[in-house]
Amino acid sequence: MRIQAERLSYSYQAGSSFSAYALKDVTLTIEEGEFFGIIGHTGSGKSTFVQHLNALIKLPTADKKFKPKKPKKGQPAPVYPSLVIGKYDLGDKKTNFKELRSKVGIVFQYPEYQLFAESVYDDVAFGLKNFRSELSEEEKTVLVRDAISAVGLDYESVKDASPFDLSGGQKRRVAIAGVIVTRPEILILDEPAAGLDPLGKKEIMELLHSLHRDWCKTVIIVSHDMDEISENCTRAAVFSHGELKFVLPPSELFLHDEELKALDLDIPVTAKVRLALKAKGIDVQTDFTEEDFAEKVLAYYKGVRA
Amino acid sequence: MKDIAFGQYYPVSSFVHKLDPRFKIVALITYIVAIFLANNYYGMAVCALGFFLIVLCSRVPFKKVFRSVKGIFVLLIFTAVLQIFFYQESENAKVWQWWIFTVSDESLLHAGFLVLRLALLVMVASILTFTTTPVALTDGLESLLYPLKLIRFPVHELALIMSIALRFIPTLMEETERIMNAQKARGADFESGSLLSRAKAVIPILIPLLISSFRRAEELGDAMDARCYAGSKVRTKYKKLKFSWRDLVGLLVIAAIVVGVVFLKRFGAV
């Protein structure tokens, strides 16, 4: 499913003196099959954008009470924000939002804090119970087993355990399983590696790649960690103060180091080393993944020696 | 959930905001006593006049203050209906009668009086929370309850519990919203269905909320220990409460209301 957002705007507490834009005129297309990154500070509008994709925040035109305003004479008709995901038009109140939510899964920050059931099995099955109540118990069991295995846990040993007895990393995996169990085509993760140690981070990113390979067509991650973005994403969008600043592949995005710095954003380690080398008169062209960078530096080194 | 008007601080600087919280608490109690002392419309008019004066001096928009009545709206209607139909003192002066329902001039007057009394009560109480930060409120309360220390009542601990509870209301609201979003994304439905299914739908919110509250409590306890918090014995105050000329002016206003109400009682009850 392709995501097409046009002129997406949103302001909190609209109309009051505290009103502020959380999103301003965001136009963005995310193709099916991408591993997309979203970068931005707290309050940059990235969470608001992500909540739109799952209709947790509905477009004004999707509100039950919405009536289109008649354009005044001599003025163009008002333009409303639009958001289309696959066959679902999120600006239409007749859209089946429940079905959409089963197709677009969101894993929120620290998803382990949403666990509640007595057993891992029950918790993972929660989404199925809500979205696919027509399934028989056997069919559900198969889906739950697949989801738990897909996140790298051993189904037999954890299914009856209390989710609260698991380790932090395992809890997070259970929470992810609880989202992917409905087989969403788009999986969105808000800071999936937050609060994990370096090994845990690496494991989670590997898990996301394996999910992207054979589970969800599109994966979108929201992240502060530029290394995570440069290593994994096909493209990345940069949000700042509700506005979309860049949408570029990492290989081009991190060439804009001055602009990113102006937005108080970091750049990956590879980009920093590249800049340091450049200051010494050594210009290395790279796509900013660690592997490519090492290769290019090695190639340069060999070239000098030859 | 966001439009709960009652109990929200309205951040402006005004005469009422700057009053000593202790005075505000005492003044509120006095005002409430005055409302109950007033037994006719003249007295109520004095109370209402005082109320309008206080709101004007607080710079809180009237709309916001009136909205605090919304919470007890059903109660108001219920009271009014009961009073209108079932209040009977004298047999003459009937306006309308059907079966056991009687409407008279007296019952209408009485109903209006009671509704006014209740509405004023809630609105004045909301002024206190609109103009006083929770911290100032607990500070004031602690100071007012100080005499209870003589009978070994843990005043400071009580104030601490109160301020912690107040401090965590917005945090817990935020947390609730976060968990609700997460469960909604997994297909939870809190709006439709029977009463039982809606009650059941609360479990996936309540359990994570409870767990995180315990976690927060533990963390807070550790943080207080780490800063060698030892309760009231050795603790000094950062902001000392002081009476000022403003409190004196406020005192005169409240006194005028009480005197006015008591004086006007002579015109008889409604």
Side-chain angles (χ1 to χ4, degrees):
Chain A
M1 294 198 298
R2 184 185 199 201
I3 301 171
Q4 274 177 293
E6 269 168 53
R7 298 175 307 272
L8 218 54
S9 289
Y10 186 81
S11 68
Y12 284 102
Q13 306 198 340
S16 85
S17 50
F18 307 109
S19 107
Y21 272 105
L23 272 187
K24 222 159 135 189
D25 227 13
V26 171
T27 299
L28 175 64
T29 304
I30 300 172
E31 302 292 341
E32 182 169 303
E34 281 200 82
F35 199 114
F36 198 85
I38 294 179
I39 307 168
H41 280 294
T42 325
S44 63
K46 54 182 167 43
S47 299
T48 314
F49 177 72
V50 162
Q51 287 182 35
H52 272 94
L53 300 181
N54 190 278
L56 285 172
I57 298 177
K58 284 189 182 172
L59 293 182
T61 47
D63 191 48
K64 275 183 201 132
K65 290 177 207 147
F66 175 78
K67 279 192 196 109
K69 276 183 207 150
K70 280 186 188 143
K72 283 176 195 155
K73 260 184 193 172
Q75 277 178 1
V79 196
Y80 294 106
S82 91
L83 179 59
V84 179
I85 300 176
K87 60 173 179 158
Y88 304 96
D89 178 0
L90 276 73
D92 187 350
K93 34 187 144 171
K94 290 193 234 41
T95 302
N96 186 345
F97 285 107
K98 200 161 181 181
E99 199 181 286
L100 168 90
R101 279 185 189 159
S102 75
K103 296 283 178 202
V104 182
I106 292 196
V107 178
F108 284 93
Q109 225 177 87
Y110 297 105
E112 54 272 31
Y113 295 155
Q114 74 187 28
L115 300 175
F116 70 95
E118 282 169 46
S119 73
V120 169
Y121 180 92
D122 285 345
D123 212 293
V124 174
F126 181 65
L128 282 182
K129 209 178 76 197
N130 295 323
F131 288 125
R132 308 280 302 275
S133 49
E134 77 281 357
L135 293 180
S136 69
E137 277 310 311
E138 290 77 43
E139 287 170 302
K140 280 184 193 164
T141 308
V142 171
L143 285 169
V144 171
R145 196 186 60 210
D146 286 354
I148 292 180
S149 316
V151 295
L153 293 173
D154 179 36
Y155 174 71
E156 288 303 325
S157 64
V158 297
K159 70 175 163 100
D160 296 319
S162 161
F164 304 110
D165 289 340
L166 302 177
S167 75
Q170 283 175 320
K171 274 188 205 168
R172 190 163 295 188
R173 281 162 192 268
V174 169
I176 294 175
V179 173
I180 63 166
V181 72
T182 56
R183 294 250 164 199
E185 291 190 30
I186 299 171
L187 180 64
I188 304 166
L189 303 105
D190 192 352
E191 299 264 351
L196 293 179
D197 56 36
L199 183 66
K201 274 186 191 181
K202 204 171 149 234
E203 280 174 1
I204 281 283
M205 292 320 290
E206 274 165 16
L207 168 65
L208 295 187
H209 275 293
S210 85
L211 288 177
H212 185 224
R213 211 163 38 236
D214 32 52
W215 199 279
C216 312
K217 287 181 185 140
T218 313
V219 172
I220 301 173
I221 57 168
V222 176
S223 182
H224 283 297
D225 189 335
M226 296 300 164
D227 293 308
E228 229 166 81
I229 301 282
S230 69
E231 279 303 305
N232 302 296
C233 295
T234 51
R235 283 199 305 157
V238 178
F239 282 80
S240 177
H241 297 288
E243 286 176 63
L244 190 61
K245 296 288 184 190
F246 294 103
V247 188
L248 289 172
S251 57
E252 292 167 41
L253 177 65
F254 294 118
L255 293 174
H256 296 269
D257 47 90
E258 291 291 325
E259 285 105 313
L260 289 174
K261 209 174 179 182
L263 297 173
D264 278 329
L265 287 168
D266 204 11
I267 50 174
V269 176
T270 48
K272 282 180 197 159
V273 178
R274 191 188 83 97
L275 282 180
L277 285 174
K278 205 174 169 182
K280 300 270 181 209
I282 302 166
D283 199 359
V284 181
Q285 297 302 324
T286 169
D287 67 3
F288 296 110
T289 59
E290 281 167 24
E291 203 180 323
D292 180 74
F293 185 72
E295 264 170 35
K296 295 289 161 65
V297 171
L298 195 67
Y300 176 86
Y301 182 66
K302 279 180 179 161
V304 170
R305 283 222 307 197
Chain B
M1 211 181 291
K2 270 177 194 147
D3 43 47
I4 298 174
F6 191 81
Q8 249 176 17
Y9 182 64
Y10 188 80
V12 289
S13 173
S14 79
F15 183 84
V16 181
H17 282 74
K18 282 181 189 150
L19 287 171
D20 189 306
R22 285 170 299 184
F23 169 70
K24 275 192 266 193
I25 296 168
V26 175
L28 175 68
I29 295 166
T30 321
Y31 184 91
I32 289 172
V33 170
I35 291 179
F36 280 102
L37 276 177
N39 58 353
N40 54 28
Y41 272 99
Y42 303 114
M44 202 47 89
V46 170
C47 290
L49 205 70
F51 164 73
F52 279 109
L53 187 72
I54 293 165
V55 179
L56 275 180
C57 293
S58 74
R59 290 182 53 205
V60 179
F62 274 101
K63 221 173 85 188
K64 269 205 169 267
V65 181
F66 288 142
R67 214 177 289 159
S68 58
V69 182
K70 228 165 67 179
I72 60 151
F73 197 70
V74 180
L75 183 74
L76 282 185
I77 300 284
F78 187 68
T79 317
V81 168
L82 276 188
Q83 284 295 321
I84 289 173
F85 290 122
F86 297 108
Y87 179 82
Q88 246 175 315
E89 214 158 64
S90 50
E91 273 298 305
N92 38 32
K94 266 178 204 161
V95 180
W96 181 83
Q97 190 174 23
W98 178 74
W99 193 34
I100 52 165
F101 301 108
T102 320
V103 176
S104 65
D105 293 349
E106 274 174 9
S107 71
L108 283 173
L109 278 175
H110 236 266
F113 187 77
L114 269 181
V115 168
L116 206 62
R117 178 183 270 174
L118 278 176
L120 268 184
L121 209 71
V122 173
M123 288 191 292
V124 160
S126 77
I127 283 284
L128 178 71
T129 50
F130 273 134
T131 62
T132 322
T133 59
V135 176
L137 209 58
T138 36
D139 263 4
L141 217 56
E142 186 183 351
S143 172
L144 283 176
L145 292 178
Y146 197 79
L148 287 181
K149 273 206 169 154
L150 291 177
I151 56 163
R152 295 187 154 213
F153 186 81
V155 175
H156 178 79
E157 283 70 17
L158 189 76
L160 182 73
I161 290 168
M162 257 183 70
S163 53
I164 289 176
L166 287 169
R167 157 65 186 80
F168 276 96
I169 288 174
T171 313
L172 287 181
M173 295 260 262
E174 216 172 86
E175 183 96 19
T176 311
E177 205 167 301
R178 220 197 328 257
I179 295 168
M180 268 174 93
N181 270 343
Q183 308 299 28
K184 262 197 219 162
R186 295 209 280 163
D189 187 356
F190 308 115
E191 276 115 37
S192 55
S194 67
L195 201 64
L196 186 72
S197 73
R198 256 188 283 178
K200 268 188 182 163
V202 179
I203 295 174
I205 304 175
L206 228 49
I207 290 178
L209 195 63
L210 210 65
I211 291 169
S212 80
S213 304
F214 276 116
R215 198 186 61 242
R216 266 178 219 290
E218 229 163 88
E219 280 170 5
L220 185 69
D222 283 346
M224 285 164 82
D225 273 344
R227 285 166 193 149
C228 304
Y229 180 84
S232 53
K233 274 172 208 136
V234 288
R235 196 169 173 224
T236 52
K237 289 252 187 261
Y238 167 53
K239 275 187 181 160
K240 284 231 157 84
L241 299 174
K242 255 187 203 145
F243 260 71
S244 71
W245 60 271
R246 290 193 188 83
D247 302 298
L248 199 68
V249 174
L251 193 69
L252 289 176
V253 172
I254 289 295
I257 292 173
V258 175
V259 170
V261 166
V262 170
F263 178 73
L264 289 165
K265 269 171 88 96
R266 61 162 71 199
F267 290 104
V270 179

